[in-house]
Amino acid sequence: WKKLYLAHHWPVTVCKMSANDCQDPPEYWTIHGLWPDKAEECNRTWHFNVSEIKDLMSDMRRYWPDVLHSSLNRTQFWKHEWDKHGTCAATLEVLNSQKKYFGKALELYLHVDLNNCLLKAGIKPSSSYYQMTAIKEALTRFYGVTPKIQCLPPEEGEKAQTIGQIEFCFTKELQLRNCTALEGESALMQADLKLGTEELSVCSDTLPTYYPSQVQ
């Protein structure tokens, strides 16, 4: 693999995407995962062990919650992310244990500070619509790189797309880089986003964009 995606998802949109027991989703962007491109499930014998990340637990619950299953034994989401993505990321020395992988993802999340950046740019959840180009420009201006932004396409009778996920890309040295996909790079990552029946896809630049403040 060549780069890492740090995926943030917007909990309100995640809840909108599937029938589930979402209870009061967080009103801030949370971590979906840290994903190497082009690699999945690299070591099926390396099992997730929650006790290895016990020191990270309060941050994990706050910044990396299982949005869809707020009430259940909530380590399942982390196990999935480790099995599918962490075992592949572990070829890098700085990510080569569960504690390092989850710890570094939290560190990158706090460093990127997406919630704060959007607020500073005046982009906050609202009942009125945004232009996707304005959101992109704000992020690119702030970070100096192009992130990948994904939306729920408009439902029947709606005219707006709903913002759902913002991914930042990093080099193997963990430096921010553009996410613009080289040919053939993006097919694999799409598979991770099927929640319920609806799927996220790269946002359209022309559709009005809804950034919802609570689950409808």
Side-chain angles (χ1 to χ4, degrees), residues 83-99:
D83 292 347
K84 188 167 181 180
H85 304 291
T87 55
C88 302
T91 55
L92 280 191
E93 194 178 327
V94 294
L95 301 173
N96 69 3
S97 69
Q98 290 173 40
K99 184 162 188 188

Side-chain angles (χ1 to χ4, degrees), residues 68 74 125 186 202:
L68 291 179
R74 48 164 96 91
S186 60
V202 174

Side-chain angles (χ1 to χ4, degrees), residues 62-162:
R62 185 167 169 200
Y63 302 127
W64 201 331
D66 185 340
V67 173
L68 291 179
H69 309 102
S70 47
S71 54
L72 302 174
N73 172 4
R74 48 164 96 91
T75 61
Q76 202 55 36
F77 181 37
W78 304 331
K79 175 187 184 304
H80 166 79
E81 291 298 314
W82 169 255
D83 292 347
K84 188 167 181 180
H85 304 291
T87 55
C88 302
T91 55
L92 280 191
E93 194 178 327
V94 294
L95 301 173
N96 69 3
S97 69
Q98 290 173 40
K99 184 162 188 188
K100 284 187 190 175
Y101 172 73
F102 289 103
K104 184 56 78 176
L106 287 164
E107 211 177 288
L108 293 174
Y109 167 87
L110 293 169
H111 172 69
V112 164
D113 197 7
L114 176 62
N115 291 293
N116 212 7
C117 159
L118 287 169
L119 282 175
K120 280 187 182 150
I123 297 166
K124 45 187 187 289
S126 164
S127 53
S128 51
Y129 297 130
Y130 289 94
Q131 294 293 327
M132 179 49 59
T133 46
I135 295 175
K136 273 190 183 159
E137 275 162 22
L139 292 172
T140 303
R141 195 168 62 240
F142 200 86
Y143 295 105
V145 294
T146 312
K148 179 175 166 189
I149 308 178
Q150 296 196 303
C151 291
L152 260 186
E155 285 173 28
E156 202 70 39
E158 287 182 356
K159 66 178 195 296
Q161 60 191 350
T162 305

